[in-house]
Structures are given as C-alpha cells and as structure tokens.
Amino acid sequence: MSTIEIISCGPGVTVQDAGRFGFENIGITPGGAVDPLAYRTGQQLLGNPATAAALEIPLGNLSLRLTEKRRVVVTGAPTPISVLGSPRTMNTSFVLDADAVMSLGRIDIGVRCYISFEGGISTPLVLGSR
C-alpha cells in the first residue's frame, strides 16, 4: 500500500471512517465522518468497503503526494482541485500518479471535504474504527 505524504495542510485534518458503534454504554460516541453522505460517496465511487478510511479536511488548503499510483476522489464541500497544476473535478475518481502533487484550495461554501483513496487508508483499528 502506498504512503500518503502530507506536504501542507491547515488544522484539523483527520483520518475518518464510518465510526465505531456499540460503546455508547461506556461513554464513547460513534464518531466517524462529520458529513456521512460525502464520506460514503467517496467510498462508493472507488468501490471501497463502507468502512474504508478517508481524509477529512476542514476548510481545504491541503497538498499531498503518494508513493504509488492510486485512484482518488474528492467529495464534500466544493474546493478547487489540481494535480501538477491541472484541474480535476470533484465527485469524479481520477488516477493520482506516484509523486504527483495534488492540491486542494480553500473551501468557501461548506466546511469539510474528503479525499478517499482506492483501498482506503491503513491505520491501526481502535475499538473497531480507524
């Protein structure tokens, strides 16, 4: 699986999934993506399982690169997307080549967008959630 290198970002970028369930009785909320529709849309567009993790980005302004080629999709609040300076479209999957820099601009309408990666993001499970 490829490594995601965050080149720059604003505060509050997190790895999110559908949440963890069954722990409310001990005071642990389900958590998960703040915008479940945008999160699920990204997973479905890539054919990922409903539990795959994505990056949740408040307010945009993020640049990253991958160590291996993967399909990605950006969903949620509208943000300009560019790969090596060439624009990309939200809610449409595209291939991000290894070492190609993908940048998101500022979000002006809404708050959070999501970057979903084919195959999800591999992090350790904690209480069944990433």
Side-chain angles (χ1 to χ4, degrees):
M1 181 158 294
S2 64
T3 299
I4 302 167
E5 177 189 352
I6 304 294
I7 298 166
S8 66
C9 68
V13 174
T14 58
V15 173
Q16 293 293 335
D17 62 11
R20 63 184 61 84
F21 301 94
F23 299 98
E24 293 89 346
N25 64 326
I26 59 170
I28 298 173
T29 62
V34 172
D35 183 345
L37 178 59
Y39 159 77
R40 282 193 313 268
T41 299
Q43 303 315 321
Q44 289 173 349
L45 286 169
L46 294 170
N48 285 345
T51 57
L55 288 180
E56 182 176 78
I57 301 128
L59 307 175
N61 293 323
L62 177 135
S63 292
L64 62 75
R65 78 175 117 234
L66 304 176
T67 57
E68 294 177 16
K69 180 167 85 172
R70 285 172 78 186
R71 270 189 331 135
V72 300
V73 64
V74 180
T75 58
T79 181
I81 308 163
S82 69
V83 176
L84 297 173
S86 179
R88 296 293 189 268
T89 304
M90 290 199 64
N91 302 308
T92 304
S93 70
F94 56 90
V95 173
L96 184 61
D97 289 326
D99 297 321
V101 175
M102 179 174 83
S103 297
L104 304 182
R106 187 180 77 207
I107 294 174
D108 290 325
I109 299 171
V111 178
R112 288 175 175 80
C113 66
Y114 295 83
I115 303 175
S116 298
F117 302 86
E118 186 174 32
I121 298 173
S122 180
T123 63
L125 288 172
V126 177
L127 300 176
S129 178
R130 298 193 187 274

